[in-house]
Amino acid sequence: MTEMNMVQAINNGLDLALKLDDSVILLGEDIGINGGVFRVTEGLQKKYGEDRVMDTPLVELGIVGMAIGMALTGLKPVPEIQFQDFIYTAMDQIINQAAKMRFRSNGDYTVPMVLRTPYGGGVKGGLYHSQSGEAYFAHTAGLTVVTPSGPYDAKGLLLSAIDYEDPVIFLEPKRLYRSIKEEVKDGEYKVPLRKASVVREGDDLTAITYGSMVPTVKNTFEKHKVNGDIIDLRTLVPMDIGTVIQSVEKTGRVVIIHEAPRTGGFGAEISASITERALESLLAPILRVTGPDSPFPYKMEDYYIPDDRRIMKAVNKLLEFR
Amino acid sequence: MPEQDKSEEKTRLIKAYTAIVLSRTLDNKIVVSQRQGRVGFYTPTIGQEALQVGASMALQDKDLIYGYYRDVPLMLHRGVPMENIINQIMGNREDSALGRQMPSHYCDKKRNFMSVQSPVATNLPLAVGSAYTQKYRKTNSIVLTTFGEGSTSAPDFHAALNLAAVYNLPVIFLCENNGWAISMPVEKQTLAEIWTKASAYGMRGVRANGNDLLETYEVTREAVKRAREGKGPTLIDAVSFRMGPHSTSDDPTKYRDVIVEEGSDKDPVIITEKLLKSKGYIDDKFIESIKTRAEKIVNDKFEECAKIPAADPSSAFTGVYKESSWMLDEEVKDLL
Ligand SMILES: Cc1ncc(C[n+]2csc(CCOP(=O)(O)OP(=O)(O)O)c2C)c(N)n1
């Protein structure tokens, strides 16, 4: 065990993956000699060479398209998109090639690629270095969407994703890159995909969240002694509906927290899935605490990201609802 | 050169040199202020002054600029008030975007300087569309768009060049080739010389020494003339050097040994001084007085702008649509 932040844990996971399997290839902008703009790939090019840790020209659709091509021919590429905000030119490759390959070839061809990219606000990045675009990916059948909320899970989920046989969109909450330290196992271990984690238990209500918002919700619940479950989804698609419903049947009250804008956000999907399965258990309407339906602002980012005050407002409303 | 032309040239070059010095002084001030925590972020322009000002000299006020995050020298030469630039960087309430955008993302509608985005090269197709408008409306205005050499790898670059050529539009693609895209040197970015990429689209491509103010001016002037005459687009590869870090978040010692020291023979400020001296337009005393004045202007403006408070928080959540959405209205009630 070593105490690590998320940057170190992911670096450690990538290092291990590169060491264990020579079909693992990293590619992206500034990931080699510079070690990535967030230093997640620090030292890896030096250790494994330019053939395996590739500094690419500035072309996101090329990075992703090449990675898909590598995956189709037996490699296990782990492309990095420097900021999730810059992924959009590559969406054609992601949506029309990666996500649909298994289906359209009936399994003759598959895309075991792990596309890593930092997302979310909180680093004073303004409109284009703060976006939370998970819903774009969640809406695309064939993609598996994963987001860790701490160092331990980050490494374990990453190693599972690299061994997974379908394309994984691995969203790294950049605000948490260095803000949390945890004991992380040194060797290989896996945290399963498609499994949520109950990070706090209680009887009065269920908070469902993921990625960047998990520590905020945890702190809020601790500070205000909220007696509720907190579910960290970890994999958004396919969602671990069993864990969600089990908790909802216990508490009957649900708040969903994410940083992305509300409209068409993943919270809507969670909410609908619950009402379809557990309407009789609900004692109150399902509430959402989310980013607003506006672009992410530079100066006023603290207003944008859900905070203690807004989460508690929803919690109290839920608890008071009769 | 006839006396009158000479005096006109002198005026023009002194204006250009002044913009270069002002820009450099401002650049240094912002970088220092960022280290002091007075500014959040910045993308320095040091090294790219001569090429930007040279290009700007060839333009008219009515021409449209689709710039990028390093275009402070161009903006200053074009007449964008320095306080507009500082206010943007501080994100205060005098900033035209009210602090919504990250520093270095300028906009000045009055000077036809379009709003800057972060995703590189996405301004290029927009420049082509706006050039179409100029042609369609017969305005005789042209459009200039700027970007780094790294951005030539992006799909938008290729789409834009092809479209501009196909429709024979009055647009100039000014590649500010500073040799580096964060940690990626141009030799690894592309195996082709940037200017030669134009030929793939049947377009004119030229190279200019971007550290040579007059050469960049002449090359741009020719491109502007052709564009106005309906002879179509040009790609200009203006070669210079990124003397600073990519941004205030970047540490170039991690990936490069080559440096160009400020004040050395390769510094475009020094190169421009030599040029103007050789023409007898300036001397050391003039240089000193201009630099002293620039220091004072920059410091005064900076402190003035620093006193301006931030915009009201609600400004970050308005202006998404002309007519606001009920969704956002409802959310904002909860936020503020
Ligand atoms: C589409 C896109 N991908 C990645 C980035 C992150 N990024 C910002 S600037 C930059 C390098 C740009 O280099 P270049 O175009 O040469 O311009 P320079 O910064 O050197 O002036 C990168 C990779 C971005 N802004 N946009």
Side-chain angles (χ1 to χ4, degrees), chain A residues 59 94 140-141 161 188 191 232-233 249 278:
Chain A
V59 54
I94 295 169
T140 300
E188 195 188 2
V191 171
D232 172 358
L233 287 179
E249 284 174 346

Side-chain angles (χ1 to χ4, degrees), chain B residues 20-217:
Chain B
I20 289 173
V21 170
L22 272 175
S23 170
R24 174 66 61 86
T25 312
L26 178 61
D27 208 60
N28 287 338
K29 174 76 182 176
I30 298 171
V31 169
V32 169
S33 305
Q34 195 277 337
R35 283 194 214 112
Q36 296 166 339
R38 302 181 72 194
V39 163
F41 171 88
Y42 182 62
T43 47
T45 68
I46 183 167
Q48 287 165 239
E49 293 94 344
L51 85 85
Q52 289 183 25
V53 171
S56 177
M57 286 165 71
L59 298 174
Q60 296 180 12
D61 290 349
K62 65 175 184 177
D63 297 332
L64 223 60
I65 318 273
Y66 277 92
Y68 85 128
Y69 46 77
R70 263 188 241 286
D71 282 346
V72 170
L74 184 150
M75 293 173 77
L76 285 174
H77 181 265
R78 197 169 167 75
V80 173
M82 186 183 287
E83 50 271 30
N84 291 15
I85 294 165
I86 303 174
N87 288 334
Q88 197 288 320
I89 280 159
M90 302 208 162
N92 62 32
R93 73 173 179 213
E94 296 293 321
D95 164 31
S96 65
L98 304 168
R100 288 176 185 149
Q101 284 240 69
M102 221 181 163
S104 300
H105 292 61
Y106 316 101
C107 178
D108 192 325
K109 187 168 182 189
K110 256 198 199 142
R111 281 91 198 169
N112 282 330
F113 190 93
M114 310 296 286
S115 166
V116 170
Q117 81 297 332
S118 308
V120 301
T122 54
N123 48 335
L124 273 57
L126 278 56
V128 174
S130 294
Y132 188 86
T133 306
Q134 308 316 315
K135 185 176 172 182
Y136 180 72
R137 293 287 183 209
K138 303 190 173 58
T139 62
N140 204 32
S141 295
I142 63 115
V143 182
L144 177 116
T145 181
T146 67
F147 50 93
E149 82 295 336
S151 306
T152 66
S153 295
D156 314 66
F157 169 81
H158 301 275
L161 262 66
N162 190 44
L163 289 165
V166 164
Y167 295 110
N168 192 40
L169 296 175
V171 55
I172 296 165
F173 299 94
L174 177 68
C175 180
E176 303 192 20
N177 183 349
N178 64 16
W180 293 85
I182 311 187
S183 68
M184 174 67 80
V186 60
E187 305 80 44
K188 289 188 175 178
Q189 185 70 244
T190 172
L191 298 190
E193 301 255 12
I194 303 292
W195 64 275
T196 64
K197 290 173 190 278
S199 69
Y201 302 102
M203 182 196 298
R204 189 167 162 266
V206 279
R207 180 175 21 211
N209 175 357
N211 286 337
D212 185 331
L213 177 75
L214 274 185
E215 186 175 322
T216 317
Y217 167 58

Side-chain angles (χ1 to χ4, degrees), chain A residues 30 42 293 298-299 313, chain B residues 90 100 183 254 331 334:
Chain A
D30 305 291
E42 182 84 59
D293 286 297
Y298 168 67
K299 201 72 180 188
K313 205 166 141 188
Chain B
M90 302 208 162
R100 288 176 185 149
S183 68
K254 286 202 65 163
E331 289 154 1
D334 186 38

Side-chain angles (χ1 to χ4, degrees), chain A residues 3-183:
Chain A
E3 199 180 60
M4 292 184 197
N5 62 29
M6 199 187 288
V7 166
Q8 293 164 323
I10 297 172
N11 179 276
N12 184 265
L14 292 170
D15 191 346
L16 204 61
L18 284 158
K19 186 162 86 190
L20 295 175
D21 185 349
D22 74 354
S23 56
V24 174
I25 306 278
L26 313 191
L27 64 162
E29 293 160 16
D30 305 291
I31 69 164
I33 184 166
N34 197 32
V37 296
F38 289 101
R39 307 287 177 249
V40 173
T41 51
E42 182 84 59
L44 298 177
Q45 186 179 68
K46 202 162 184 193
K47 206 158 161 185
Y48 298 99
E50 292 182 19
D51 292 349
R52 300 194 60 201
V53 181
M54 299 165 59
D55 272 318
T56 67
L58 200 170
V59 54
E60 284 75 13
L61 78 83
I63 294 168
V64 176
M66 251 186 100
I68 297 170
M70 291 175 178
L72 289 171
T73 45
L75 299 182
K76 289 184 178 173
V78 186
E80 174 185 295
I81 297 300
Q82 202 165 80
F83 287 85
Q84 186 253 289
D85 314 58
F86 303 140
I87 209 165
Y88 302 117
T89 57
M91 286 305 255
D92 199 18
Q93 293 294 334
I94 295 169
I95 295 173
N96 287 329
Q97 293 286 18
K100 294 175 178 46
M101 191 59 74
R102 177 183 292 279
F103 182 74
R104 80 178 200 229
S105 69
N106 196 25
D108 284 348
Y109 291 104
T110 59
V111 182
M113 155 181 93
V114 182
L115 198 171
R116 295 181 38 251
T117 188
Y119 79 105
V123 299
K124 284 259 164 222
L127 279 69
Y128 303 108
H129 300 81
S130 311
Q131 296 176 28
S132 294
E134 65 271 16
Y136 299 129
F137 307 107
H139 193 59
T140 300
L143 300 179
T144 299
V145 184
V146 175
T147 177
S149 65
Y152 184 90
D153 276 3
K155 177 176 167 184
L157 289 168
L158 179 72
L159 291 176
S160 293
I162 290 172
D163 266 1
Y164 192 74
E165 294 190 21
D166 286 309
V168 173
I169 307 296
F170 196 83
L171 299 168
E172 301 174 1
K174 70 172 90 71
R175 170 162 88 252
L176 309 183
Y177 263 156
R178 293 171 189 279
S179 65
I180 311 168
K181 288 196 168 181
E182 278 175 3
E183 291 292 326

